[in-house]
Amino acid sequence: GTSGRYSGRYSANKLTDESQIAAVANIGNENESGLSSDTNRNRLGSGNAGESTASSAGLTFARKNDNIESSGNIRYTGSDTDALGNQISESILKTSSSYSSTIMDEATGSDNFNANYNIQITSSPKNTILIKPAISFSKSDTERTAEWTVFSDKEQTTPINASNNLTSNENDRIRAVLISQFTHRLNKKGRNFS
């Protein structure tokens, strides 16, 4: 695209009677919200502010034979956004006026990974075992700077007050889950014990 803009989407699938597998991937820097639910969150104002690069990739699979059914998926999403804002205002007082200038710069990034797997084993017509492990990892960071200056003149040559702020946040999260279930069918009416 123009000005270094790009967008790409890829997919591959394989289907058979016993199994299926599908892979997808997306990447782009056109601030498209469709690439990932975790991208383009604007913290400077309304709308999609700044330059954003988003990527996502996923793999899903399923397989079935006489006694075993298994399925699972792996997914990654990531984004990086850099936003720059500038605000100029005038405060009109009874005897004079003051002029303020605020410059904000914010950089955000996030990475999210999750995977899960399901396997169901029918060991006999009455007994079924289900095992479902899952893991997820997410990381996000934000760095924001704000420079605020008040001037006594409209040309902004004489500062009378100023402040600089730096805010930095970083979050990490790991989650792991394992669910297991054993089911025994008690009779033909459908009653079972789990």
Side-chain angles (χ1 to χ4, degrees), residues 110 122 149 182:
S110 68
T122 305
T149 310
F182 170 76

Side-chain angles (χ1 to χ4, degrees), residues 33-109:
S33 59
L35 286 175
S36 166
S37 61
D38 303 313
T39 61
N40 298 318
R41 293 184 181 163
N42 173 28
R43 296 172 180 85
L44 289 175
S46 61
N48 293 338
E51 258 186 42
S52 180
T53 300
S55 58
S56 64
L59 176 72
T60 181
F61 55 90
R63 184 172 181 82
K64 181 179 180 180
N65 59 25
D66 295 337
N67 300 321
I68 298 175
E69 294 182 29
S70 61
S71 63
N73 66 70
I74 301 169
R75 183 175 183 228
Y76 166 81
T77 59
S79 68
D80 290 295
T81 303
D82 191 11
L84 180 65
N86 190 0
Q87 179 181 357
I88 299 172
S89 62
E90 177 183 2
S91 299
I92 301 173
L93 307 175
K94 194 171 187 180
T95 57
S96 63
S97 296
S98 64
Y99 306 87
S100 64
S101 172
T102 305
I103 299 173
M104 295 169 287
D105 189 5
E106 182 178 84
T108 62

